[in-house]
Amino acid sequence: MEKFEEIHAKYERMIHKIIHSLHIYKNKDHYYQTGLIALWEAHQNFDPDKGAFPAYAYSFVKGRILTQLSKENKHEERSVYKESEFFDMIEDEHINEGLAEELLFSYCKDLTKNQRKWVMYTCLHMLTVSEISEVESVSISAVKKWRKGAKDKIKGLVDIQEQEV
């Protein structure tokens, strides 16, 4: 059996190729490390009776990187645009509730009725997606669609305002 250093040298380009093929442009080093660990695990678990190592290594490494990418995307979706000035301002609503509510409504003028409901329930009443779905008697996926549409439109408004300043 080859030493891992030899395997690493032999399959390093494969890991970079997988990262490139998945269009990963952020945290490449992190995904490379994930791929390297997966290559090591593939090397440890490989059974030569079941096929060729290159095909096994490729599918194992790509699968692990895709799993990591999926986990990070789910985490990112769950977090509300923390970097956005809009949501930072909403956190200060206890100082002056009326002003915060007025500011909130100013960002909601281009939203649909349901998107406005999501913003109000989330920012003013601090309800979760599942709680909103119970209150409105709709599915959780419907509320998630409201959320996505509202976040996209509000982020666009914030970006436009930043460009004007």
Side-chain angles (χ1 to χ4, degrees), residues 26-70:
K26 289 195 265 182
N27 303 325
K28 283 184 181 181
D29 292 338
H30 173 73
Y31 288 103
Y32 179 79
Q33 185 68 24
T34 300
L36 198 55
I37 291 168
L39 181 63
W40 180 78
E41 289 176 2
H43 175 67
Q44 295 295 314
N45 299 330
F46 177 63
D47 181 4
D49 296 335
K50 293 187 177 181
F53 181 73
Y56 177 71
Y58 182 85
S59 63
F60 196 89
V61 170
K62 187 171 184 177
R64 182 64 55 85
I65 291 173
L66 281 169
T67 300
Q68 184 68 29
L69 193 60
S70 176

Side-chain angles (χ1 to χ4, degrees), residues 122-138:
T122 301
C123 298
L124 295 178
H125 305 291
M126 302 302 176
L127 296 181
T128 64
V129 170
S130 57
E131 291 169 338
I132 296 169
S133 71
E134 285 180 25
V135 170
E136 289 297 317
S137 301
V138 296

